[in-house]
Amino acid sequence: MATLYKIHPENPQARTIDQVVAELRNGAVMLYPTDTVYAIGCDLNSKSGVQRVRQLKQLANDKPLTFLCPSLSDIAQYAIVTDQAYRMMRSLVPGPYTFLLPATKLVPKLVMSPKRKTTGIRVPDHPVCQALLKALGNPIISTSAHVPVEDETIPLKVRDPENLSLPELFDSMDRIVDLIVDTGQEPAQAVSTILDFTSDEPAIVRKGLGWEAAAEWSLE
């Protein structure tokens, strides 16, 4: 069974945050809230954690994983950001946006797309995410809490986590992750907007929360 950590959604308790961070540093995989949907995540620099996330999501190694950074300046460590991309990103972060960018050498190979050498990065507008990121000192993997259900031991309700109540979501993930972060708030019902900055012509490749604000920059 997963360890449950109750954390205040607006004023995260430092002691509890430190407990979660200690587990992440030891390779734990967690279920946690973001400013979009609940996500499955781990320390970006934990190879065993990243491998477990891939196994849970049944993702091949050539499928990139999105991760969270606390600020735009942190993104610049892990991705190549053009002036055009920076201007747009500065107006949108923190918020419900995933930015596809060329990766730097700081991004582990197990996380990025090996052929394109690109990565997806978010700066979440969520106090608990921000507290975890600052305490950990590393980015955190963020992939939606959707797990394939070919394994009969995994509850079928996991098939569509966006339609679950918080207790149902926790019950369905209890045997899958090591720890669960509970803020007492119901999960959001929409995914992030994905903006692709890997080519000369930036584009919106998925419309999610906040896509209207991104569209004001005439990216289609």
Side-chain angles (χ1 to χ4, degrees):
M1 294 178 61
T3 303
L4 183 68
Y5 291 94
K6 291 183 177 293
I7 300 180
H8 193 280
E10 299 297 333
N11 298 293
Q13 307 93 312
R15 181 179 178 182
T16 310
I17 291 292
D18 288 343
Q19 290 175 322
V20 173
V21 164
E23 292 210 42
L24 293 177
R25 286 178 176 151
N26 286 326
V29 172
M30 67 175 173
L31 174 71
Y32 68 107
T34 71
D35 52 350
T36 56
V37 297
Y38 256 77
I40 297 171
C42 65
D43 183 343
L44 177 73
N45 291 334
S46 171
K47 184 176 180 179
S48 63
V50 173
Q51 288 174 329
R52 281 192 57 207
V53 170
R54 285 197 176 279
Q55 290 170 355
L56 290 176
K57 296 278 290 188
Q58 296 185 10
L59 294 174
N61 287 341
D62 60 350
K63 298 294 184 182
L65 289 170
T66 295
F67 58 88
L68 307 181
C69 283
S71 69
L72 185 55
S73 60
D74 289 281
I75 287 181
Q77 298 182 52
Y78 296 93
I80 299 170
V81 183
T82 65
D83 291 342
Q84 180 185 19
Y86 179 83
R87 286 193 297 271
M88 182 174 183
M89 292 163 63
R90 185 176 59 181
S91 72
L92 297 175
V93 300
Y97 303 95
T98 298
F99 305 111
L100 301 182
L101 296 157
T104 68
K105 293 181 179 179
L106 287 182
V107 179
K109 292 181 179 179
L110 192 57
V111 172
M112 68 179 174
S113 171
K115 293 182 179 180
R116 300 183 64 199
K117 291 184 169 52
T118 59
T119 192
I121 307 179
R122 292 195 56 214
V123 178
D125 187 14
H126 195 287
V128 173
C129 289
Q130 287 290 339
L132 289 171
L133 287 164
K134 291 172 183 176
L136 180 63
N138 295 323
I140 295 174
I141 294 295
S142 177
T143 178
S144 62
H146 170 83
V147 177
V149 293
E150 293 179 5
D151 185 345
E152 293 181 357
T153 65
I154 299 176
L156 291 176
K157 287 183 178 179
V158 179
R159 187 186 298 275
D160 194 11
E162 290 82 0
N163 293 328
L164 300 183
S165 67
L166 203 58
E168 289 175 328
L169 178 62
F170 289 174
D171 286 346
S172 67
M173 302 296 291
D174 185 51
R175 291 178 290 126
I176 300 174
V177 298
D178 300 309
L179 61 100
I180 295 173
V181 175
D182 179 11
T183 61
Q185 295 177 316
E186 289 293 327
Q189 299 297 317
V191 294
S192 65
T193 292
I194 299 179
L195 306 174
D196 189 346
F197 290 112
T198 61
S199 63
D200 293 336
E201 295 295 330
I204 297 175
V205 295
R206 183 178 75 187
K207 292 182 178 180
L209 284 175
W211 73 268
E212 297 91 347
E216 293 179 1
W217 289 76
S218 299
L219 295 182
E220 290 293 348

